[in-house]
């Protein structure tokens, strides 16, 4: 009897010792993104569910402590996002925040996370500033960034003869960054930028902007926007005879959810650069099928990379033996990411995941064999080519 | 090439036309709002949702029943109008005796519920809806390429706006309606069914919103959010035109569409606030709106 009691006691002691390394005895991850606006289909509640899938696949507990996922809608407003993040960190025991679609919100929350010594992994936001001058010891960037989009789609379009550009740019951090990166790529490849016009985020009518682009005479109209904004611009360009007039469109950030919304008839032939396509291989098809059963549609790059970010964060906690931010951040930079999204790739010193990007083209209705069969993979761009050299990124941690 | 303020005249002409097209939607939507407010004194916040419903009816009768655009143009206002009548009869009419605020809150709640249901069912990203084959393509006007469909929207909305205005201001039915809102007890004593008139008015307003929704479907993505994107602008139009003034709503709709179009040429960053700036100025100088009667 005495022996049994001792064993139980020792077991309890060991359990509490393990728990002691997990703050508040729970690992809580917040998914903060646009859940009702123009970016809600490409991330939104689908990202929250992708995070839950990662927790289930991990086993539901880490170092003996339960794992919880919470989600919230930042409405694409930096102040709303920062307020929610502050509340999560200060009173709701949230340990890390992920997704962070919309670069302006991501920058605000990343600054706050750095101040509080909490980890954030951006999967939805795109500006290179996140791993540049805004990087912190606790910040990470998964999925993609505006540099990768410029290298992928921008370079490909110039190669096809599109050497003069006019930009329709979403009027906030992401749009500026995408326009700037793409302009550099276009000019480096020998092309010219003839002009640009900035439209508000969540704009519905593009005819006025398209007419200006048409008047510029540029061969390519670059859409430095995302989500519903890009969809509406592409649809209305077809209506105003832009493509019949000899100009072509470059949707610099297109997601599978956008192509689904546009239909192949309108979207066919467009080039796009993404870090994930569900029909890439058996592993991605297995994940996508599970995701579709739960959410009704195929996962976008944001969904798949949020899954990966959550899974890797949990693996890092496990490896570090606790959820202390400094130890977990060190593990994140040390361990390669090997899952459905990142296959054996590493995180650079500025927090950038050096994952592969895929240059793809939207299939024609004839080429497509079924629902969600949308893309042809034209080329794989290794992370080292797609992303800025960390030493050049301007991140203070690297210099 | 001749220039005005450093902008080629050709470009300016194009933008004016685009402004007129957008103004058509503003006019059509604010017309419905003005009818409902003018006759029922209800601030119909569900107007955007009814516009969205119209677009979805067009999409759904096409996918489920294979009915084309022209059927949708007739069916959507009827279905959404009937839905409006049901809502008015069963719920909204109970609030007439109370402060305006209750009607506003009720219709706002209704809008959020409808939007939430559609978002849950169809997702937030839009669904495409093709324009009718007879109206695809366009004509080159020299200064711009005018898609035939957009030309049709301008013509259709002008006709509808004038017809509704004539119905309310020039016919016997319109006169009875206006009398019923001025003095319901007196009109009732002539043996006229006033509650029925009010129900029909609300149904008319909702049907107009649905009609605008069908017209908009081929231009914008059919999405649950399309109503909330436009409704705030439309309220500004009604306020600038003068709450309840039907002609005011129509004229202001077109004017503000053009003002917005011009802003997109001269200073695009301000294009989504210019209407509110105008609203603020008008409210300071003429609190009853451009066409409103001073209270």
């Amino acid at each position: 009897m005495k022996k049994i009691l001792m064993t139980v006691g020792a077991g309890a002691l060991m359990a509490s010792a393990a728990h002691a390394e997990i703050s508040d005895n729970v690992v809580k991850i917040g998914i903060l993104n646009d859940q009702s606006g123009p970016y809600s289909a490409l991330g939104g509640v689908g990202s929250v569910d992708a995070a839950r899938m990662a927790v289930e696949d991990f086993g539901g507990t880490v170092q003996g402590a339960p794992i919880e996922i919470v989600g919230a809608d930042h409405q694409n407003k930096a102040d709303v996002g920062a307020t929610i993040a502050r509340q999560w960190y200060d009173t709701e025991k949230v340990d890390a925040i992920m997704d962070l679609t919309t670069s302006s919100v991501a920058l605000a929350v990343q600054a706050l996370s750095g101040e509080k010594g909490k980890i954030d992994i951006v999967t939805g936001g795109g500006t290179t500033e996140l791993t540049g001058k805004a990087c912190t010891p606790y910040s990470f960037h998964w999925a993609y960034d505006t540099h990768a989009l410029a290298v992928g789609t921008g370079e490909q379009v110039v190669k096809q003869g599109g050497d003069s550009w006019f930009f329709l740019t979403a009027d906030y951090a992401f749009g500026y960054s995408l326009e700037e990166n793409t302009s550099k790529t276009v000019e480096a490849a020998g092309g010219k930028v003839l002009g640009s016009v900035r439209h508000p985020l969540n704009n519905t009518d593009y005819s006025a902007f398209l007419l200006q682009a048409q008047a510029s005479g540029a061969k390519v109209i670059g859409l430095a926007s995302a989500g519903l904004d890009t969809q509406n611009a592409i649809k209305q360009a077809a209506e105003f005879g832009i493509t019949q007039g000899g100009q072509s469109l470059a949707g610099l950030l297109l997601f599978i959810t956008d192509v689904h919304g546009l239909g192949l008839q309108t979207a066919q032939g467009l080039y796009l650069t993404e870090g994930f396509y569900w029909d890439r291989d058996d592993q991605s098809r297995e994940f996508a099928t599970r995701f579709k059963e739960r959410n009704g549609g195929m996962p976008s790059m944001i969904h798949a990379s949020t899954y990966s970010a959550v899974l890797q964060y949990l693996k890092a906690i496990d490896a570090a033996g606790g959820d202390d931010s400094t130890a977990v951040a060190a593990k994140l930079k040390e361990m390669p990411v090997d899952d459905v999204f990142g296959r054996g790739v590493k995180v650079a010193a500025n927090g950038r995941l050096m994952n592969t990007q895929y240059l793809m083209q939207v299939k024609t209705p004839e080429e497509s064999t079924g629902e969600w069969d949308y893309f042809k993979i034209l080329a794989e761009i290794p992370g080292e080519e797609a992303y800025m050299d960390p030493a050049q990124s301007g991140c203070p941690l690297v210099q | 090439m001749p220039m005005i303020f450093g902008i080629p005249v050709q470009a300016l002409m194009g933008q004016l036309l685009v402004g007129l097209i957008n103004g058509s939607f503003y006019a059509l939507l604010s017309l419905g709002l003005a009818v409902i407010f003018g006759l029922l004194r209800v601030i119909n916040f569900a107007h955007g949702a009814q516009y969205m419903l119209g677009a979805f009816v067009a999409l759904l009768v096409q996918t489920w029943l294979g009915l084309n655009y022209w059927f949708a143009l007739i069916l959507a206002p009827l279905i959404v109008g009937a839905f409006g009548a049901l809502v008015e009869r069963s719920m909204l009419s109970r609030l007439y005796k109370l402060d305006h605020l209750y009607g506003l809150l009720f219709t706002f709640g209704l809008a959020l519920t409808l939007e939430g249901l559609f978002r849950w069912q169809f997702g937030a990203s839009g669904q495409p809806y093709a324009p009718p084959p007879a109206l695809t393509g366009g004509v080159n006007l020299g200064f711009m390429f005018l898609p035939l469909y957009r030309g049709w929207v301008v013509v259709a909305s002008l006709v509808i706006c004038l017809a509704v205005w004539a119905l309310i201001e020039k016919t016997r039915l319109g006169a009875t309606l206006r009398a019923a809102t001025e003095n319901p007890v007196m009109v009732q004593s002539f043996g006229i069914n006033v509650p029925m008139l009010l129900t029909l008015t609300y149904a008319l307003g909702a049907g107009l919103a649905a009609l605008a929704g069908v017209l908009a479907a081929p231009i914008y993505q059919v999405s649950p959010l399309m109503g909330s994107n436009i409704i705030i602008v439309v309220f500004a139009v009604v306020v600038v035109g003068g709450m309840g003034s039907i002609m005011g709503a129509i004229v202001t709709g077109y004017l503000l569409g053009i003002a917005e179009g011009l802003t997109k040429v001269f200073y695009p960053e301000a294009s989504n606030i210019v209407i509110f700036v105008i609203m603020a100025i008008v409210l300071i100088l003429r609190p009853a709106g451009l066409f409103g009667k001073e209270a």
Side-chain angles (χ1 to χ4, degrees):
Chain A
M1 188 63 198
K2 205 174 168 186
K3 205 174 172 186
I4 294 170
L5 271 178
M6 272 174 70
T7 321
V8 171
L13 255 179
M14 273 167 69
S16 68
H19 266 247
E21 300 302 320
I22 300 286
S23 58
D24 315 306
N25 289 327
V26 59
V27 170
K28 210 162 164 182
I29 303 169
I31 305 295
L32 187 56
N33 59 14
D34 174 4
Q35 305 194 344
S36 55
Y39 303 156
S40 54
L42 55 91
V45 287
S47 275
V48 181
D49 193 57
R52 295 215 167 94
M53 284 173 72
V55 173
E56 287 163 25
D57 290 356
F58 189 78
T61 57
V62 56
Q63 294 278 315
I67 309 161
E68 242 182 80
I69 299 289
V70 287
D73 182 359
H74 61 41
Q75 302 164 32
N76 299 318
K77 291 176 186 150
D79 54 330
V80 174
T83 307
I84 294 171
R86 194 176 289 278
Q87 189 188 341
W88 273 356
Y89 286 148
D90 289 351
T91 62
E92 296 183 20
K93 301 170 185 165
V94 166
D95 298 293
I97 296 183
M98 301 184 195
D99 191 328
L100 295 170
T101 305
T102 321
S103 295
S104 44
V105 187
L107 286 168
V109 173
Q110 179 154 306
L112 179 73
S113 307
E115 206 178 285
K116 302 257 176 205
K118 302 278 191 180
I119 287 183
D120 70 86
I121 307 183
V122 179
T123 59
T127 175
T128 44
E129 218 181 303
L130 290 164
T131 49
K133 62 178 193 281
C135 80
T136 80
Y138 310 105
S139 69
F140 296 86
H141 199 180
W142 250 234
Y144 77 109
D145 66 19
T146 52
H147 187 271
L149 299 175
V151 166
T153 313
E155 221 169 76
Q156 174 68 13
V157 172
V158 179
K159 253 189 235 162
Q160 304 288 323
D163 56 5
S164 59
W165 286 60
F166 187 94
F167 289 97
L168 260 55
T169 305
D171 195 10
Y172 76 105
F174 161 76
Y176 309 152
S177 173
L178 187 50
E179 181 188 329
E180 188 194 330
N181 282 305
T182 314
S183 297
K184 277 188 197 150
T185 312
V186 168
E187 279 157 5
K192 277 197 310 268
V193 176
L194 301 181
S196 72
V197 57
R198 289 181 172 174
H199 63 77
L201 169 64
N202 202 9
N203 187 46
T204 46
D205 186 71
Y206 288 85
S207 44
F209 306 119
L210 288 166
L211 287 184
Q212 294 178 49
Q214 205 167 22
S216 74
K219 286 186 192 166
V220 179
I221 300 172
L223 304 175
S225 53
L228 269 185
D229 282 344
T230 309
Q231 286 187 36
N232 272 323
I234 292 174
K235 208 175 157 183
Q236 291 168 26
E239 203 192 338
F240 277 87
I242 301 273
T243 36
Q244 290 103 298
Q247 288 177 306
S248 61
L249 286 178
L252 294 166
L253 178 55
L254 261 190
F255 291 94
I256 191 161
T257 42
D258 298 324
V259 173
H260 189 67
L262 283 165
L264 288 181
Q265 193 58 41
T266 312
Q268 59 180 308
L270 286 171
Y271 293 104
L272 71 156
T273 306
E274 275 207 85
F276 183 79
Y277 179 44
W278 70 269
D279 203 11
R280 182 195 65 204
D281 56 20
D282 285 340
Q283 197 185 4
S284 63
R285 278 188 287 272
E286 185 272 331
F287 170 75
T289 313
R290 278 198 294 145
F291 183 88
K292 186 166 182 277
E293 269 167 27
R294 300 163 62 125
N295 295 284
M298 285 296 178
S300 74
M301 161 171 75
I302 309 296
H303 297 140
S305 61
T306 301
Y307 170 89
S308 163
V310 172
L311 199 59
Q312 190 70 7
Y313 175 67
L314 296 174
K315 286 177 185 168
I317 291 178
D318 213 19
D323 66 356
D324 171 65
S325 293
T326 311
V328 174
K331 284 291 171 198
L332 280 170
K333 286 183 184 171
E334 176 190 310
M335 296 160 49
V337 174
D338 206 354
D339 55 35
V340 66
F341 183 76
R343 292 175 302 164
V345 289
K346 294 203 74 166
V347 176
N350 59 349
R352 175 72 254 170
L353 176 71
M354 304 302 269
N355 59 305
T356 307
Q357 292 287 336
Y358 302 91
L359 175 68
M360 302 188 278
Q361 191 176 19
V362 179
K363 289 184 173 179
T364 63
E366 293 75 41
E367 284 171 318
S368 170
T369 55
E371 206 195 15
W372 297 100
D373 177 25
Y374 291 153
F375 302 152
K376 292 180 282 203
I377 297 182
L378 302 181
E380 288 193 16
I381 309 169
E384 290 67 30
E385 286 173 34
Y387 297 110
M388 213 180 275
D389 176 4
Q392 308 290 319
S393 64
C395 168
L397 298 173
V398 188
Q399 278 147 9
Chain B
M1 195 187 289
M3 311 271 269
I4 296 176
F5 302 124
I7 307 280
V9 169
Q10 290 208 334
L12 209 57
M13 295 281 287
Q15 298 298 348
L16 280 175
L17 191 55
V18 164
L20 198 63
I21 297 166
N22 289 341
S24 303
F25 285 110
Y26 295 157
L28 209 50
L29 282 169
S30 48
L31 171 68
L33 268 185
V35 167
I36 293 176
F37 183 78
L39 302 175
L40 271 61
R41 300 283 142 185
V42 167
I43 302 169
N44 184 28
F45 253 92
H47 213 65
Q50 285 153 350
Y51 161 80
M52 178 270 288
L53 281 182
F56 266 99
V57 168
L59 182 74
L60 296 179
V61 296
Q62 189 188 50
T63 35
W64 292 345
L65 307 173
L67 294 176
N68 69 20
Y69 175 82
W70 305 105
F71 284 103
L73 215 46
I74 298 164
L75 276 178
L78 288 179
I79 294 173
V80 178
F83 173 72
L86 193 73
V87 167
E88 197 273 348
R89 205 81 298 268
S90 59
M91 292 176 265
L92 189 60
S93 59
R94 293 164 203 270
L95 303 173
Y96 290 155
K97 293 185 290 296
L98 303 170
D99 192 87
H100 290 340
L101 200 58
Y102 289 90
L104 184 153
L105 286 175
F106 167 73
T107 51
F108 187 53
L110 180 68
L112 290 180
T113 312
L114 287 172
E115 244 179 56
L117 282 174
F118 274 75
R119 210 165 66 208
W120 172 60
Q121 185 62 36
F122 297 96
S125 83
Q127 309 234 10
Y129 183 86
L135 294 175
T136 47
V139 281
N140 200 334
L141 300 178
F143 58 90
M144 76 173 283
F145 180 92
L146 175 69
L148 274 183
Y149 187 79
R150 298 219 179 198
W152 151 252
V153 166
V154 174
V155 176
S157 82
L158 260 178
V159 170
I160 296 163
C161 285
L162 289 177
V164 172
W165 173 78
L167 174 75
I168 291 177
E169 301 287 343
K170 301 285 170 201
T171 65
R172 199 177 160 76
L173 177 67
T176 316
L177 257 178
R178 281 177 290 135
T181 46
E182 283 295 320
N183 194 338
V185 182
M186 174 88 88
V187 175
Q188 191 116 31
S189 68
F190 287 131
I192 290 169
N193 187 347
V194 171
M196 172 65 92
L197 272 183
L198 297 183
T199 305
L200 284 179
T201 307
Y202 190 78
L204 172 71
L208 280 172
L211 192 63
V214 182
L215 285 173
I219 296 185
Y220 307 121
Q221 295 289 84
V222 177
S223 101
L225 303 173
M226 63 191 289
S228 51
N229 287 341
I230 199 169
I231 190 69
I232 302 297
V233 172
V234 174
F235 267 106
V237 170
V238 175
V239 170
V240 172
M243 294 293 291
S245 162
I246 290 169
M247 195 38 106
I250 299 172
V251 174
T252 313
Y254 286 106
L255 283 181
L256 289 187
I258 291 170
E260 195 185 43
L262 290 180
T263 314
K264 284 179 180 166
V265 188
F266 292 108
Y267 191 61
E269 286 87 341
S271 60
N272 61 344
I273 57 158
V274 65
I275 287 183
F276 303 105
V277 173
I278 295 176
M279 180 176 87
I281 295 171
V282 168
L283 284 179
I284 291 168
L285 299 179
R286 271 187 73 94
L290 291 179
F291 296 83
K293 297 179 199 85
E294 300 288 341

